[in-house]
Amino acid sequence: MTKTKPQLIFLFSIFIVFLCFSLGKSSDFELEDDSWLNDEDDEVNMVQSQQNSRSRCDFSVGKWVYDQSYPLYDSNCPYLSTAVTCQKNGRPDSDYEKWRWKPNSCSIPRFDALKFLGKMRRKRIMLVGDSIMRNQWESLVCLVQGVVPTGRKRVTYNGPSMAFHAMDFETSIEFSWAPLLVELNKGAEKKRILHLDLIEENAKYWRGVDVLVFDSAHWWTHSDQSSSWDYYMEGHSLYTNMNPMVAYQKGLTTWAKWVDLNLDPRKTRVIFRSMSPRHNRENGWRCYNQKQPLAYFSHQHVPEPLLVLQGVLRKMRFPVYLQDITTMSAFRRDGHPSVYRRAMGQEERQHPRDFSSDCSHWCLPGVPDSWNEILSALL
């Protein structure tokens, strides 16, 4: 017995070590960066953000929850454009300011301006895109500016870019106008030419930035009447007609090549925000007088530009994170300025249908604040 007991203890010890090793390996495997390969539904989010443990939370799936503690600032924020200050412009209801986005599988931390500025200390964050990205920039600046003393903040302008500076943090929150990302130039006879393979005139403003957030979709889907160009150009070839989604794919590919060739993922974070949905049907009246988010969709629709974007991101070497805000924002047809894009007198309010209705941009405070809460969580 005395001989077998040490042997049993030894064998038992070996078994315990083996068991710990096995369990250790399996739990390590669960945390490995490539476990996203099994998650086909959210493939682009995962593929492009392998280093980000938060990518396990799908921010794009959830519901809007009414929260009395919102909004996080008011429409007196001095950095808001008149067109988005719906309360100042006479909108009679304000519940649209009080909805908070709650993902199904996790929670988004409430935006903390000091924490955000601390993370961005000595850094530049730049939002690049169209007027809806400008909408988001104004939201982000208003979320932050309240904790910065009056004499320690300013806005500067440089070509198509503008920057809000929080001087004590040596931080700048910037916006750069490039709605198509690629170059739109005037040619002979003042014809507007969209160069699908040229980008440097816009991209020179993006160099040296620590966090880049892009969007580009709306201008590509404009109809022939409202199109911003007369010709497409690729190489030396000029085209009058092209499938808009083919052109979009070519333009995005030019952007993707620039990012792959010019940016270092160790120095720069790149996020691409998906398209903001419009509620423009019925000539823009689909969002007028709406006071609550939609409760559900009769059918889930994935916009074609989002499919094109996912295809381009999959082919990139650079780890771009796709921030999908399309579905969450599609619930919010109550969040647009509609006729309250300008100040309306008492008499004008009696006949609102005499005025055009904006169902593309967003009232602030409002929906873009939630995009920025997600952005802050990602960073």
Side-chain angles (χ1 to χ4, degrees):
M1 287 295 288
T2 50
K3 280 189 176 180
T4 56
K5 199 170 183 183
Q7 286 175 332
L8 283 170
I9 291 168
F10 177 73
L11 288 168
F12 184 70
S13 303
I14 293 288
F15 174 71
I16 289 295
V17 169
F18 174 77
L19 191 64
C20 290
F21 180 74
S22 305
L23 289 172
K25 284 298 282 182
S26 70
S27 63
D28 278 349
F29 181 72
E30 281 173 38
L31 295 170
E32 278 201 13
D33 289 333
D34 58 1
S35 55
W36 45 264
L37 286 168
N38 303 322
D39 192 332
E40 288 180 10
D41 290 342
D42 209 13
E43 188 179 349
V44 175
N45 273 8
M46 301 306 147
V47 167
Q48 304 298 352
S49 56
Q50 296 164 30
Q51 292 79 24
N52 191 345
S53 61
R54 281 203 172 86
S55 63
R56 314 214 154 273
C57 172
D58 186 350
F59 291 118
S60 68
V61 181
K63 62 182 178 181
W64 289 96
V65 182
Y66 191 80
D67 189 331
Q68 273 293 1
S69 70
Y70 279 69
L72 300 173
Y73 60 91
D74 64 36
S75 58
N76 290 317
C77 171
Y79 303 98
L80 293 178
S81 305
T82 305
V84 300
T85 54
C86 304
Q87 287 293 297
K88 279 187 169 180
N89 293 342
R91 181 166 172 167
D93 60 306
S94 60
D95 277 359
Y96 66 88
E97 297 181 337
K98 298 185 179 299
W99 293 93
R100 172 174 57 83
W101 179 248
K102 186 182 183 310
N104 288 342
S105 55
C106 57
S107 59
I108 304 167
R110 187 181 175 91
F111 192 92
D112 183 325
L114 284 172
K115 201 171 175 183
F116 180 83
L117 287 168
K119 283 187 284 192
M120 290 289 107
R121 187 183 290 278
R122 298 192 187 87
K123 289 187 170 72
R124 297 170 63 196
I125 177 169
M126 181 182 278
L127 281 59
V128 180
D130 55 23
S131 56
I132 294 170
M133 190 59 102
R134 164 76 184 261
N135 214 176
Q136 185 178 350
W137 176 80
E138 291 183 10
S139 157
L140 186 55
V141 170
C142 287
L143 284 166
V144 160
Q145 67 92 26
V147 299
V148 184
T150 305
R152 307 301 298 157
K153 55 191 171 188
R154 64 194 169 99
V155 174
T156 59
Y157 300 87
N158 176 27
S161 300
M162 58 180 72
F164 170 85
H165 301 269
M167 297 176 204
D168 294 330
F169 291 87
E170 298 173 58
T171 296
S172 62
I173 300 170
E174 306 177 35
F175 168 71
S176 190
W177 173 256
L180 296 151
L181 300 181
V182 292
E183 294 176 28
L184 179 63
N185 296 319
K186 285 265 172 70
E189 298 172 16
K190 294 192 176 174
K191 292 293 183 187
R192 300 160 304 167
I193 300 171
L194 180 58
H195 295 269
L196 297 173
D197 52 1
L198 296 182
I199 199 167
E200 190 53 47
E201 274 304 303
N202 295 327
K204 66 186 181 188
Y205 295 98
W206 315 336
R207 294 180 184 277
V209 176
D210 301 282
V211 180
L212 282 161
V213 185
F214 292 94
D215 95 307
S216 183
H218 284 293
W219 281 42
W220 295 93
T221 57
H222 285 174
S223 62
D224 289 342
Q225 292 80 26
S226 60
S227 172
S228 305
W229 57 87
D230 302 299
Y231 300 107
Y232 297 99
M233 193 165 188
E234 193 176 24
H236 297 294
S237 303
L238 214 57
Y239 305 93
T240 48
N241 289 310
M242 191 182 289
N243 179 309
M245 289 301 98
V246 171
Y248 182 52
Q249 196 259 349
K250 287 175 183 286
L252 280 183
T253 301
T254 299
W255 165 84
K257 283 178 182 169
W258 185 90
V259 169
D260 276 342
L261 287 169
N262 291 278
L263 299 182
D264 180 348
R266 290 166 300 184
K267 295 178 181 173
T268 310
R269 291 282 301 278
V270 177
I271 293 163
F272 205 112
R273 199 207 70 213
S274 69
M275 72 184 298
S276 167
R278 290 178 283 202
H279 296 93
N280 269 341
R281 269 176 254 158
E282 299 164 35
N283 294 325
W285 290 102
R286 203 161 159 244
C287 73
Y288 172 67
N289 218 15
Q290 297 296 330
K291 294 186 172 66
Q292 286 200 317
L294 289 161
Y296 64 93
F297 297 121
S298 52
H299 63 282
Q300 196 68 26
H301 172 64
V302 180
E304 199 176 354
L306 183 52
L307 297 174
V308 172
L309 173 61
Q310 287 173 334
V312 170
L313 293 184
R314 276 194 196 100
K315 293 174 185 169
M316 292 179 70
R317 289 195 308 274
F318 193 101
V320 176
Y321 184 90
L322 174 62
Q323 184 188 356
D324 184 355
I325 57 88
T326 304
T327 303
M328 65 178 279
S329 308
F331 286 106
R332 294 301 310 277
R333 64 180 183 182
D334 60 311
H336 299 287
S338 184
V339 295
Y340 303 105
R341 59 197 294 182
R342 52 185 277 281
M344 296 180 79
Q346 200 61 45
E347 200 172 307
E348 289 177 318
R349 284 181 219 171
Q350 308 304 314
H351 309 283
R353 288 197 176 249
D354 294 348
F355 305 96
S356 62
S357 178
D358 179 356
C359 299
S360 297
H361 300 94
W362 301 93
C363 295
L364 290 179
V367 172
D369 303 333
S370 290
W371 305 348
N372 284 323
E373 287 196 297
I374 294 171
L375 177 62
S376 180
L378 293 174
L379 297 174

